[in-house]
Amino acid sequence: DMLDNWLQCQSTWLYLEPIFSSADIIKQMPEEGDKFKMVDGKWRAIMRSTHDAPAVIPIAHESERVDVLTECNELLEAIQKGLAAYL
């Protein structure tokens, strides 16, 4: 569950990050922009903590991290739907 959520979040974040780096997109899609900022902060925090303590086994047992990744994936899905409707 951890790995699936992690990989999904990573791939979707990598796809959306260059799009929502643009101030023009943020102005045109403020709701999705706010959601992406939330996800971006959480994703970067996860990456920072993983970099600081890269041991796989302890990370795999962190249920809180799975919850954060699941929440991020739900937000990213909503962002993608909003982006598709915009395009």
Side-chain angles (χ1 to χ4, degrees), residues 1-59:
D1 202 35
M2 169 76 80
L3 189 57
D4 291 337
N5 279 297
W6 193 302
L7 293 174
Q8 180 182 353
C9 187
Q10 181 179 15
S11 66
T12 309
W13 181 87
L14 284 169
Y15 170 73
L16 292 173
E17 197 273 335
I19 296 169
F20 285 96
S21 293
S22 167
D24 291 338
I25 295 293
I26 300 291
K27 284 181 186 175
Q28 295 173 20
M29 302 179 69
E31 184 178 328
E32 286 81 3
D34 289 343
K35 288 178 184 176
F36 187 79
K37 285 180 188 175
M38 286 176 34
V39 171
D40 187 58
K42 291 178 182 188
W43 177 250
R44 289 178 187 272
I46 287 172
M47 292 293 98
R48 242 185 327 276
S49 68
T50 303
H51 178 268
D52 294 342
V56 174
I57 301 299
I59 288 172

Side-chain angles (χ1 to χ4, degrees), residues 61-76:
H61 295 298
E62 291 181 21
S63 62
E64 184 179 313
R65 195 178 299 230
V66 175
D67 295 341
V68 170
L69 288 167
T70 301
E71 179 186 351
C72 286
N73 284 328
E74 290 169 0
L75 288 169
L76 288 168

